[in-house]
Amino acid sequence: MQNKLQELTDKLYNEGLSKGKQEAEQMKANAKIEAAEIIAKAKEEAQQILAKAQAEAAELKSKSENDVKMAAAQAFTAVKKQIENAIVAKSVAAPVKAATSDAEFLKSIIKEIVTAFNPNNSDSVALELILPADKQKELESYAKESLSKICSATVDVQFSKEVQGGFRISPKGEGYMLSFTDKDFENIIAEYLRPKTKALLFG
């Protein structure tokens, strides 16, 4: 009886041990498979992250290069424009200032424009004339006396510090004014010279 009990105990033990070993081996095999899958997935994700990072780096590099090229082109254009403007301004400002500050030159121009407003065989047009304040002594008597001979209508003459050179003129009460100041002449001449200056400087 004792022997049979021992045999049964040994048999149960051996069967349990064998089964435990099998289960352990199976668990070990499963763990290896899972580990291999995790490693493979991690490698794949790492490759995807690396590929994405490389693509983003390439895109950033390309964008940066394009931005630098664009900034350089804009800077070059701006510098060319500044050089062009400086040369045109230096070429135009002094002669125009001298001409529009010359009393005799202003008298001749004013006479032509007043005559244009009041041609022969037409009704005279009353005018408003604004002249530089610093030319009042030189131009006041001319504006009031000589222009009245050309224009039978009134010529309202004013002197303003806002007009540095040249003059402004308008038909009285019409709501618009023609400007012939030094700045106006500078702009007109500069617009003519700018393309030629640009061609000479940069081809």
Side-chain angles (χ1 to χ4, degrees), residues 11-143:
K11 183 180 179 182
L12 290 171
Y13 173 78
N14 290 331
E15 286 179 356
L17 184 63
S18 175
K19 187 176 180 182
K21 284 182 178 180
Q22 287 178 356
E23 288 177 352
E25 288 296 325
Q26 186 63 44
M27 289 174 66
K28 184 178 178 183
N30 290 342
K32 283 183 179 179
I33 292 170
E34 287 178 4
E37 288 176 351
I38 290 169
I39 292 169
K41 187 177 180 182
K43 284 182 178 179
E44 184 181 350
E45 288 177 353
Q47 287 175 346
Q48 289 175 353
I49 291 169
L50 179 61
K52 184 179 179 182
Q54 288 174 337
E56 288 176 352
E59 183 181 354
L60 180 62
K61 181 184 177 185
S62 175
K63 187 176 182 300
S64 298
E65 287 175 351
N66 290 335
D67 288 346
V68 169
K69 287 177 183 177
M70 185 180 294
Q74 290 174 344
F76 183 62
T77 301
V79 169
K80 281 169 61 177
K81 191 73 175 173
Q82 288 174 353
I83 293 170
E84 177 190 324
N85 288 342
I87 291 173
V88 169
K90 196 171 182 68
S91 303
V92 171
V96 168
K97 186 71 175 175
T100 55
S101 297
D102 181 73
E104 294 305 315
F105 175 77
L106 286 179
K107 288 176 185 179
S108 64
I109 296 291
I110 292 167
K111 180 180 177 182
E112 292 297 326
I113 292 174
V114 170
T115 302
F117 270 111
N118 293 276
N120 293 330
N121 302 318
S122 70
D123 294 333
S124 291
V125 178
L127 299 172
E128 291 181 2
L129 179 64
I130 302 175
L131 295 165
D134 62 357
K135 296 295 175 185
Q136 186 166 355
K137 288 182 181 179
E138 298 172 78
L139 297 174
E140 188 168 25
S141 60
Y142 169 80

Side-chain angles (χ1 to χ4, degrees), residues 10 17-18 29 127 154-155 166 192:
D10 290 344
L17 184 63
S18 175
L127 299 172
T154 59
V155 179
Y192 173 76

